[in-house]
Amino acid sequence: MNVRPALLIASLVAATSLTPAMAADLSIGLKSEPTSMDPQFHNLATNAQVLENIFEGLTKQDAVQRLQPGLASKWEASDDTTWRFTLRDGVKFQNGSPLTARDVIYTLCRVPLVQNSPSPFTIYTGAISDVTAEGDDVVVVKTASANPLLPTDMASLPIVSADALGAEKTVTYKPDGKCKGMGDVPQSPAFNSPDIAVGTGPYKLDSFVRGSKLVLTKFDGYWGEAPAWDTVTMRPISSAGPRVAALLSGDVDMIESPPIQDIPRIEGAGFKIIDALSNRIIYLHLYQQDEKAPSITGTNGKNPLLDKRVREAISLSINRKAIVDRIMGGYAKAAGELLPPPMFGTNGREPDGYDPEKAKQLLAEAGYPDGFGITLGTPNDRYINDEKVAQAIAQMLTRIGIKTKVDAVTASQFFSRRNKLEFPIYLAGWGASTGEMSSPLKSLVATYDKETGMGPTNAGRYSNPAMDKILTEAMSTIDDTKREDLLKKAEQMVLDDYGIIPLHYEQTVWAMKKGLSYEPRVDQYTIAAEVKPASE
Amino acid sequence: MIVYLVRRLGQSLVAIAAMAVLVFVGVYAIGNPVDILINPESTQAQIAATMQRLGLDRPLWEQFGIFVWNALHGDLGISFVYGRPAMQIILERLPATMELALVALVLSVSIGIPLGVLAGLKPNSIGGRSIMAGSILGFSLPNFWQGMLLILIFAVLLGWLPAGGRGETVEVLGIRVSFLTLDGLKHLILPAMNLALFKMSLVIRLARANTREVCLQDYVKYARAKGLSSRRIVLVHILKNILIPVVTIIGLELGSMVAFAIVTETVFAWPGMGKLLIDSINLLDRPVIVAYLMLTVLIIVTINLVVDVIYSLLDPRVRLSEVDA
Amino acid sequence: MSDEAAMGLSEKAEPPVKQPAEAKRAPALESPAMRIAREFCEDRLAVLGLVLFLAIAAIAILAPWITPQNPYDLAQLDIMDGGLPPGSESFATGGTYWLGTDEQGRDMLSAIAYGLRISLLVATVSLAFAIAIGVAAGTTAAYLGGKVDTLIMRVVDLQLSFPSILIALILLALFGRGIDKVIIALIIVQWAYYARTVRSSAIVETRKDYIDAARCLALSHRRIMFRHLLPNCVPPLIVVGTVQIAQAIALEATLSFLGVGVPITEPSLGLLIANGYDYLLSGRYWVSIFPGIALVATIIAINLVGDRLRDVLNPRLQT
């Protein structure tokens, strides 16, 4: 922030004379900063959690990822491929212009026009064939095929202001970035200016100094509950130690993800710890494509992971409770599913028990009484204590005879190597952004298929055609009850087959001053607008 | 002199080009940035489309050709992560690093020279010996560990100074600096000390050695004999004579300060270029990595060149063509 | 640059003036080795450093036989013993962890001994190769002179003008983690120092009459280089070598700390420290502090020895 002493004093005097109460300011220490202020540039949690203060979607997910009305007050499916969204009354953008259907159409039109995006938002708009307005406050969205998750997707797609971005009077939707009336579309760097980064959210962009801080100020014309803070400052402090120190020394009021081992110290210093189960499952994936598994020794060229008994043995050899207690400091929950129950599509399956004896027996039955050698791949900077968990698992597998080496690399290398199928077994995590079961099933265990876009993250190449069929059916079923039943069935099939091995659900932790409250979110987001002064 | 300069510049260009090729090919070999940048819910087709948009689907030689062509036109590419010109992103971070390096440099000289002179004047006193012992400690403590200890002692145990970050900044001539605000200064002390300690030990040793050498010169002996106060001898004769070599070495060290700032910035979460480099390596943001290296190489080469030239002007005995011998 | 300057101390910083007094005191019949040993022992701090270094080296070499646990053998670790403070008893085996354990149940005492092993291994192997390459390049340049000399020294100069940490960091970021890769990176950043040192001492020698004489006798190039030139380069090499080996240990630790060094399952001291860094604020100080002390003790010991060696082996006195 620029500090001009004279101005500062003047404003201080003004502030004290007009409002005797203390200015309500909030500062938060974040793990990383957004890569851009353009809400359509980088589809990434780091960006979304910050930009949700400024921009809002038609729908939104509450703390447990249930879908709630956002800028649309209601929506309905008029048939399998048509959705009608009714816009909320009286919503104004931060530049004063009212929200209309034109803004929504402009938003959907701009998505494919954003240049250089490393993770485009087209994953939400690709299936949209047409968008039309009925008057100023009804938007009709048509999709190429039935998509029950369209309203959920809309929660991740923040609405930008057509006026602020220089659109023409009428914007007409055409797929694949061929819309009419878009004017000169501003690109991402332009969003550093508060005149371009205009949303409908409770806070406005004030300034963004990369690597240092991002300042938001209250938007007085917000349609919802009045924002609690005059200014919100977000500081990126990527190293955990300094982040904790910043909280302890009062530099910031709240931090996300304090290291688990520091929690007793933080609590001891009089701070509040809030934690909640997240939707992120940490799992092991096993190479099941064919006999040619990489980095497996002592099996005469066979791939033992193709044998269900071996996969079960691996699951039984893992002492999930010890990992949760010792490595995760209690801030995790042993997992038996791909999403923590009772989220949409879960079965309530218990985590596998720790039974090394039975595991050895299963290995022997499968023809590996002396075990074999394997390499466990893991990132070392992506999930909470990831490489430490991997080492503990290597310990446990070694105990039942599967001599395990850990290959821990930085996330970028890990993902590239994983996608090239270089690991016979790897540890990774999945957070279901939709908050329901089709997300992990579709990405992690559905048969890998470039044509249909199924199984993109299935780098173990597990394949179960019967499950694929049920999942595909679920994904085009609009009826919620029917869809949930199908998803439950599909998940059960995978888990019974030990196609993937759930380890634990991450627990997300926030630490803050006593005077604050935050409703912990399953999606692990830290949303400043949802931080409130504590009621006591 | 001109011949020397031209040759020197030519060499530097070769170095920069070699670095660019190595890094370009190397980063390409490590992995695909889209694998980590893209939303994991994306389908294979969307991943392919994104790679195409970033130009990552082309063969390596073609990507390299485009890079070289653009680089020759002064464009080092657009960051994969930030979607903005790589050079612009680095230049935003440059002031933070330069401020840190310069403050560290000033610290190491202003503390190192007096200590070194002291140790040189009284080499066998307890003071002189402990200064030397301290300097051995100073360059034996690895940078990162020393930084951790500083945090542990001053931030965690004593709670006097913040553990990381840059604090409040003020804009001076369009550049953000932190040494003009109290908060900024507090944030600056630990990292600057951390970066300075190694060089300080170096300066102590240089100053001590030079002091001892100067002390044995005839004019100092003569001055002593003439009965000049030892204060005057130190200030006028010794200090003047050791400044040139010390300042030269330190000038050259500025480049290494910029590089070593990588470690300090990582330990103290200082938002400079070094931190950016580590982040960019982790995200495989090739344009930023390449641009960082080219800029750093440029800085180092320029500093070396300037120091060489100044040195040759100051000391006519040195002929530039022989500097490398 | 800093390495260069640190080493440069040996050439630029120390005034040769004060040395003759000591040198003259040496009895005429004493062999050079004895003289060096005697002079070395005159500095008690240096002797302390040498003893400390020998002790550390012994621990590193003997680690597999003297430590209670093999920290690289996952079957010997028990996660239930994780995070115990120094002096705790093991739940699994009943033994005592004198320096505590890390979160994997790794005995810190054993881990430090094995970590020393890795750190010293990396440093000495890279030292050996770097010296070999440096000596070959340096003597070739000095002996052949002309274009070859210019070319080799250009490369050396160019490399020395870049900070070694930057070069090593980039190389390892490209190579990936691994002990072998760290060694390669260290060789690449170190060889130039030796090349320069050897060349400058060798050049002095080549100008002497006996080399001319040898050339006149038509002795083979190789023979002249190895029998006559090289022995004269040894003292400065030892001096530079001790400085460099300390630098190499510190550099390896730094690289591992930055996450591009050795793999997590075979931690060097640097990686142990980095690993413990996460626990520094939480009061589990032992995971980071003890390996740090071991690392610093090693480097100080080497530097003390090197400092003294530089005085007694001062290259200018040998010529």
Side-chain angles (χ1 to χ4, degrees), chain B residues 92-234:
Chain B
E92 274 174 12
R93 302 290 193 102
L94 183 67
T97 298
M98 289 314 278
E99 180 178 24
L100 185 63
L102 285 173
V103 171
L105 201 63
V106 169
L107 275 181
S108 54
V109 172
S110 59
I111 300 177
I113 289 187
L115 287 180
V117 170
L118 210 66
L121 289 174
K122 301 200 166 110
N124 293 318
S125 68
I126 296 181
R129 280 174 180 273
S130 21
I131 289 172
M132 285 315 284
S135 84
I136 290 200
L137 196 67
F139 75 64
S140 295
L141 288 177
N143 213 302
F144 68 94
W145 201 65
Q146 186 226 103
M148 282 168 51
L149 288 187
L150 288 177
I151 292 183
L152 187 66
I153 295 170
F154 292 101
V156 178
L157 296 180
L158 298 174
W160 292 349
L161 296 165
R166 196 175 177 200
E168 205 69 53
T169 53
V170 187
E171 207 161 296
V172 177
L173 304 174
I175 294 170
R176 285 175 192 282
V177 295
S178 43
F179 72 95
L180 291 176
T181 66
L182 182 65
D183 184 52
L185 214 50
K186 275 185 175 172
H187 282 84
L188 188 58
I189 295 175
L190 287 186
M193 273 309 287
N194 175 242
L195 194 55
L197 209 63
F198 187 91
K199 305 295 167 202
M200 205 187 290
S201 313
L202 218 72
V203 174
I204 290 178
R205 306 185 129 232
L206 272 172
R208 171 178 173 268
N210 280 295
T211 307
R212 294 183 68 183
E213 200 162 2
V214 173
C215 278
L216 294 170
Q217 305 277 322
D218 291 343
Y219 63 88
V220 174
K221 287 181 184 161
Y222 180 68
R224 280 223 173 96
K226 235 171 68 179
L228 287 182
S229 74
S230 53
R231 186 194 163 90
R232 197 180 146 77
I233 296 177
V234 171

Side-chain angles (χ1 to χ4, degrees), chain C residues 20-78:
Chain C
E22 285 173 30
K24 267 178 222 154
R25 257 189 286 122
L29 288 174
E30 207 175 28
S31 76
M34 280 173 70
R35 178 192 67 84
I36 289 165
R38 184 180 51 75
E39 281 186 13
F40 185 89
C41 292
E42 278 168 13
D43 185 341
R44 263 176 298 169
L45 213 50
V47 175
L48 188 74
L50 186 63
V51 171
L52 185 59
F53 177 72
L54 291 177
I56 287 171
I59 292 175
I61 294 166
L62 298 175
W65 296 278
I66 57 173
T67 55
Q69 190 192 60
N70 176 357
Y72 303 158
D73 180 4
L74 291 172
Q76 286 189 29
L77 306 187
D78 194 323

Side-chain angles (χ1 to χ4, degrees), chain B residues 7 11 15 22-23 26-27 30 136-137 139-142 144-145 148-149 151-152 156 198-199 202 205 208-209 212 216 249 252-253 256 259-260 262-263 266-267 277 281 292-293 296-297 300 304 324, chain C residues 1-2 5-6 9 12-15 17-18 154 157-158 161-163 165-166 169-171 173-174 199 247 250 253-254 257-258 270 273 277 280-281 288-289 292-293 295-296 299-300 303-304 307 310:
Chain B
R7 203 176 61 202
Q11 274 174 40
L22 179 74
V23 171
V27 177
I30 299 178
I136 290 200
L137 196 67
F139 75 64
S140 295
L141 288 177
F144 68 94
W145 201 65
M148 282 168 51
L149 288 187
I151 292 183
L152 187 66
V156 178
F198 187 91
K199 305 295 167 202
L202 218 72
R205 306 185 129 232
R208 171 178 173 268
R212 294 183 68 183
L216 294 170
I249 292 290
L252 292 172
E253 287 295 306
S256 100
F260 263 93
I262 297 172
V263 181
T266 307
V267 175
L277 175 71
I281 288 177
Y292 169 91
L293 283 173
T296 312
V297 169
I300 292 174
N304 289 356
D324 57 350
Chain C
M1 230 13 237
S2 66
L9 291 172
K12 297 173 200 151
E14 284 297 314
V17 247
K18 68 178 167 69
R154 285 268 172 280
D157 272 351
L158 200 59
S161 66
F162 296 113
I165 180 139
L166 190 65
L169 180 73
I170 292 298
L171 288 176
L174 304 184
R199 175 181 173 270
Q247 294 281 347
T254 306
F257 177 80
L258 290 175
I273 297 170
Y277 183 53
L280 206 55
L281 288 167
S288 190
I289 296 296
I293 292 173
L295 175 70
V296 171
I299 297 177
I300 290 183
N303 277 340
L304 286 174
D307 234 30
R310 169 155 43 73

Side-chain angles (χ1 to χ4, degrees), chain A residues 59-82:
Chain A
T59 58
K60 65 181 187 186
Q61 292 181 332
D62 66 8
V64 290
Q65 284 191 305
R66 281 174 314 210
L67 207 56
Q68 304 290 342
L71 293 180
S73 53
K74 61 178 187 291
W75 60 91
E76 62 194 349
S78 31
D79 60 54
D80 268 8
T81 57
T82 311

